[in-house]
Each structure stands twice: as structure tokens, then as C-alpha cells.
Amino acid sequence: MGACEVGLPTVVPADGLPARVTIWEVGARDGLQNEQSVVPVDVKIEFLDRLAAAGLSILEATSFVHPKWVPQLADAEDLLAALSRVDGVRYPVLVPNDRGLDRALAAGVRDIAIFGSATETFANKNLNRSLDEQFSMFEPVVTRARAEGLDVRAYVSMCFGDPWEGSVEPKQVAAVGKRLMDMGCSQLSLGDTIGVATPGQVEAVIAAVALDGVPVDAVAVHFHDTYGQALSNTLAALRLGVTTVDSSAGGLGGCPYAESATGNLATEDLVWMLDGLGVETGVDLDKLADTSAWMAERLGRPSPSRVVRALRG
Amino acid sequence: MGACEVGLPTVVPADGLPARVTIWEVGARDGLQNEQSVVPVDVKIEFLDRLAAAGLSILEATSFVHPKWVPQLADAEDLLAALSRVDGVRYPVLVPNDRGLDRALAAGVRDIAIFGSATETFANKNLNRSLDEQFSMFEPVVTRARAEGLDVRAYVSMCFGDPWEGSVEPKQVAAVGKRLMDMGCSQLSLGDTIGVATPGQVEAVIAAVALDGVPVDAVAVHFHDTYGQALSNTLAALRLGVTTVDSSAGGLGGCPYAESATGNLATEDLVWMLDGLGVETGVDLDKLADTSAWMAERLGRPSPSRVVRALRG
């Protein structure tokens, strides 16, 4: 360690923040699905095992989207068959439709996530459906999953801006979120898919969602760091009472349409802030940074996480 | 522009923030003094001219530290002689001691900054003085500068952590800041030199400084993004009423002891957030990003600013 490196932040709590935050770790899914290369299944399994050992309790493991669309996660069945689940850790998987749910049930999955769109254009491009048609696609999936005793999370993409439509109305995000929750989803993850949000907008969208009757403890935030805004947006959300934050170990992932864009909020950068604020996460930052440094070596490029680069660069 | 790029954030104000923030742009000084290579004086001048044209009204231009310590800024006299000052723009320079002040006065400088340390070890290493002795070094400089009608800013380094001492007491930061202000400085810039701070700590340090009688409108914050915390710390400071924020165009700069460490908060990342919050800065983000992309080319490496990479990558 050089003279300018330190291992841990000084702990100074701030008013108006939750005592504990649950991190929904998406690196193995949202991170790896955006990699150019396909990561071998045994590396993915070691990655998940190491993340669990670092104290993360929710590990989004893979996706049952058709392999034609996400070849990086075509090994979903193999991965889930070989994975040793750690007690107390949840391993949700992404499920787009009935066929995906069949595959998830056959693989013994207990937690799934569906992914809706807040905008017409992205519903078209990502789901090949209109904004309205997405609900008829998701409804039977959620109903059957609930009947099988599964927990279902609903992602909503493009909540803060859309690359084709520009601005997105908070009311529209709230309306989409409400319909997905009414189907029986237990949690709503508000996604800033292109990373453009700023804190006032975060407050406005969460307020609109709450006004439509979704309680704030059922809301998660999912920020991308494309414009460097992810952590300050997270802070704004925590001040409103949000207690679940999506992030990606090492900042893995990104936008498949823009090579230079950085990906999800890095779990390490989030944990540094929460550790400093005395907000409990259960995560061991040291082990986590080791894991991301190890994964960066496997991927052959440096981690975009600033904490990982500062501690392990 | 690819499909995932957008040019401007959606504007949604948030409560409890100032209507206007003054950006103290340090790229030409704090940024370039940390570069491996010496940037030619005509490039520095073009950089400053472009920053002024982008709407920045305070441009820290250079430093009168002895060239032995900062060879990158050894051309301070040449730069100031050749620079055409833009009306309404201030061009402060760093001055460590009496000899530095002589040089600054000879160069027609109207704004200077001194740089103290919040910790004993850094005072030793950076100033070759004890914590206490630094005041006797600065006092005659400030007194003479004020007598000449100059404005004097006081930087305090290591306000949130020190690589040798670890934690730093807010009371100690406040005591150092108070003594520098009592000499006749007009503004106190609280520096997180190694980028470790988190928002609760920012609040605690600003509160301690206020308790010692320094008004919050005389406080500026100076965050480094080494651990990805700079922007959320800035948001915390703004909520306490701070209205001057130091940043560096393109995120230039860094820690000379750790090559992997990123530098100052990038001005573009700051302006993105402030534009989104509807907080006035007078800065044209588009022109600024062009300037940083141009400078990144001159330096032969990509800008660490996420906004610059997203917009111009």
C-alpha cells in the first residue's frame, strides 16, 4: 500500500438515513450480460461463491431470456445446476415470459425478476411489445410464479430518461410500477438504465410512485454510473427511506450501445459510503474488493469501480 | 451520437439547495501539477481561455511554489504574462510563502491562495513545518497580500483523513481553519486530499467549522474522487448551505503517490448534477466537455470524467 491509500472510511453517521440497507447484487447478471466475451460457467460460480462469502445476501445469478438475445448467460441451467446455494442467500434470476418461467421452475429457482419498461420506445425495442402489451406478457408469468410460491421482483427500465424519447414523466413511471405491483410483485426496482438521473428527479419519481400507493419499503433503486451520478442519486433515495439498492461488484456492466459508458453503480463505491455513514450492509469491503480485482483479471480489464482501483489498483 | 447517449439531464429542482453555485475551477493548477509531463505554456493558455469561454468565472491558473517541487508549473511567470484576462473572470494563483508572493505581485496577480494542512504529518511532509509553524509561515504572506489589496483564499488539506494519521478530528480542522481565517483570508476550502470522505463526515466537519465562527458562505469544498465519493459529498455540503465547490475540468489531477487514483471531482460531473437540479452555475456543459476532450487528447489519455466519456468518448 502506497502512502495515499487507506483501507476504510472514518465512520460518521448522518441524520435521516436508514440503519440498514440491503444490497441487491446484480454483477453476475446485469454485469456479465453486458460483457463482450462469455465468462466460463465455473468462473461465474466462483464469482457468486465469493460474493456470498463477502456477505452479500441477494445475488442475481443469471437470466432465462432467450440465449439468442443474451448469449453471455446461455449457460443459466448449467450454472444453477452446479451452484451450491449458501444458506440465507437468495439467488434471483431474470424471467421474461412463460417459457423463461418454465426453465426457472425446472432449475429450482425460488426468486424471479421480470423487467418492464417505463417508455413506449424501450418496450418496443427491448420486449417487442407496446407499453400496454408488456402487462399482458407479464401477468400470466407473475400469477403462475406466485401460485408456485415464488417471490417476484419487477424492474422498470428507463425511469429517468430514455435515449429515444428523452425525458420521462414520473407519473408514467408510477403508472407502470403500480400495474406491475398490482399483479403480485413484491418489489419495484426503479432503473436509470442510461445513467442520466439527478437527485431532484430521483425524489420526484419516488414521490410519484408513493402517491400511486407503492410503499417506499417496496421500492429499490437501480442506478447506472454513466454520468457519474449513481452514488449521489442513491443518497437522495436513502434520505426518502429507500432501503434496497441495486449495484454491481466492481461496477461490472454497462450500456451495450455505448462502449465508453460505465455500468452499474459499483458495489464497492456504495459500501464505502454506507460504511462511512455507519449504515449496516453486512458486506466485508475487503473481501468484496478482492473478488472484483480477481474478476477484473479474468475479464482482462481494470474494474471501473473507483474503490477497487484505489484499494487494489 | 449512439442510441445510449443524451446531451442534457432533465431539470427537476430539489428542496434545500442553493439557487446558484460558484465553481472554483482548479484544472489548470491542481490538475496539471499532478501530470507526469509538463504541458506547454500555449496549451495551458488555450485551456484557460476555453474554460473562460465555457462560462467558468474562477480559474485557478498556476502556482508560485518553487519549481523544484512542482516543475509542471515552473512556467507561472510566462503563463501569466501571456494570458489575456477575460473581464469578470478571476485567475487566482497558489502562493506558499513570501518569495511566492513577490512573484505573484510582480506578475500582477489579484487573487492568491495559501495552502495549510489539517494534520501534523502532512504539514511536515508538504510544508516542512509543524502544524503550528505553518501559521507563522502564512501570517506575513496574508498580511502583506491584504495590505496590497489582494484577496486570499485558504486551502486546508487532509480535512477528512490523512494517509499517515488515518482519521482527522473535525475540531482540529476547525481550529486550523479558524486561525487561517483570522489572519484575513476570505474563504476556506476544505480539502479531501485523498478522497476518503463520506457525507456524515462532511456534515460534521462543516458543522465544526461553523461552530468556530466561520460562516458557511465563506466555506468551499474540495473533493477528490479517489473512492467515487466526491459528488455525493458535494450534495451533502450543498444541503448545508455551501455555495462554492472546487472541481477540475475533465477530472484532471490525482494523487502523485498512487497512479491508479483518480483526481479532483470532474467539473462536468458536477455541472451535470447541478444542471439537473436547476442550480445555476453559468457553465455551458457542451463547451466544457469539448474543452476537456481536447485537453485529454493533448495529454494522450482519456478523461476520467464520466460525463466527458459518455458525451465525447
Side-chain angles (χ1 to χ4, degrees), chain A residues 6-300:
Chain A
V6 296
L8 289 170
T10 300
V11 180
V12 186
D15 289 339
L17 292 176
R20 192 179 162 81
V21 160
T22 301
I23 297 176
W24 187 290
E25 166 61 45
V26 299
R29 198 277 305 169
D30 201 4
L32 297 185
Q33 82 172 25
N34 287 304
E35 282 300 315
Q36 299 280 333
S37 56
V38 177
V39 173
V41 70
D42 59 314
V43 174
K44 289 177 181 170
I45 287 171
E46 186 172 348
F47 185 43
L48 288 164
D49 288 347
R50 292 178 72 143
L51 292 171
L56 288 152
S57 60
I58 305 182
L59 302 174
E60 201 164 283
T62 186
S63 165
F64 283 114
V65 169
H66 195 287
K68 190 169 87 181
W69 306 117
V70 186
Q72 294 92 337
L73 304 182
D75 58 8
E77 271 90 357
D78 295 346
L79 181 139
L80 292 169
L83 184 69
S84 310
R85 269 88 160 174
V86 175
D87 263 0
V89 176
R90 291 164 60 194
Y91 297 89
V93 303
L94 220 58
V95 163
N97 52 27
D98 254 327
R99 173 77 191 106
L101 182 57
D102 292 339
R103 294 172 65 197
L105 289 168
V109 164
R110 303 304 305 155
D111 291 277
I112 67 165
I114 58 169
F115 46 100
S117 168
T119 69
E120 189 72 51
T121 315
F122 194 66
N124 267 247
K125 299 210 177 248
N126 200 42
L127 304 170
N128 201 26
R129 298 283 190 290
S130 73
L131 188 67
D132 236 40
E133 284 165 359
Q134 68 179 329
F135 302 110
S136 32
M137 175 171 77
F138 291 129
E139 183 136 48
V141 176
V142 178
T143 304
R144 186 152 66 100
R146 300 284 289 120
E148 297 277 353
L150 271 58
D151 186 86
V152 186
R153 162 185 252 214
Y155 280 104
V156 183
S157 295
M158 304 294 176
C159 295
F160 303 91
D162 174 293
W164 299 277
E165 298 185 15
S167 286
V168 177
E169 280 299 318
K171 273 191 301 192
Q172 185 171 327
V173 177
V176 168
K178 180 72 162 72
R179 284 187 71 172
L180 296 173
M181 291 297 282
D182 283 348
M183 285 177 195
C185 294
S186 63
Q187 193 175 66
L188 196 63
S189 174
L190 303 171
D192 183 16
T193 316
I194 55 171
V196 294
T198 50
Q201 206 184 358
V202 170
E203 294 173 10
V205 170
I206 293 173
V209 166
L211 203 65
D212 263 10
V214 178
V216 74
D217 62 7
V219 171
V221 287
H222 181 104
F223 294 121
H224 282 234
D225 212 19
T226 321
Y227 293 81
Q229 309 294 310
L231 198 58
S232 47
N233 288 336
T234 300
L235 183 61
L238 296 179
R239 288 201 192 277
L240 292 187
V242 169
T243 57
T244 302
V245 179
D246 298 4
S247 64
S248 164
L252 286 175
C255 172
Y257 304 103
E259 263 194 84
S260 65
T262 49
N264 293 86
L265 170 59
T267 308
E268 288 85 355
D269 299 11
L270 171 64
V271 171
W272 185 278
M273 181 178 82
L274 295 176
D275 276 359
L277 287 164
V279 175
E280 252 188 85
T281 64
V283 175
D284 180 323
L285 184 58
D286 207 47
K287 283 188 186 169
L288 179 60
D290 277 346
T291 300
S292 292
W294 166 85
M295 184 49 111
E297 256 182 57
R298 295 295 157 296
L299 295 171

Side-chain angles (χ1 to χ4, degrees), chain B residues 193-214:
Chain B
T193 317
I194 56 172
V196 295
T198 50
Q201 206 184 356
V202 171
E203 294 173 10
V205 170
I206 293 172
V209 166
L211 202 66
D212 263 10
V214 178

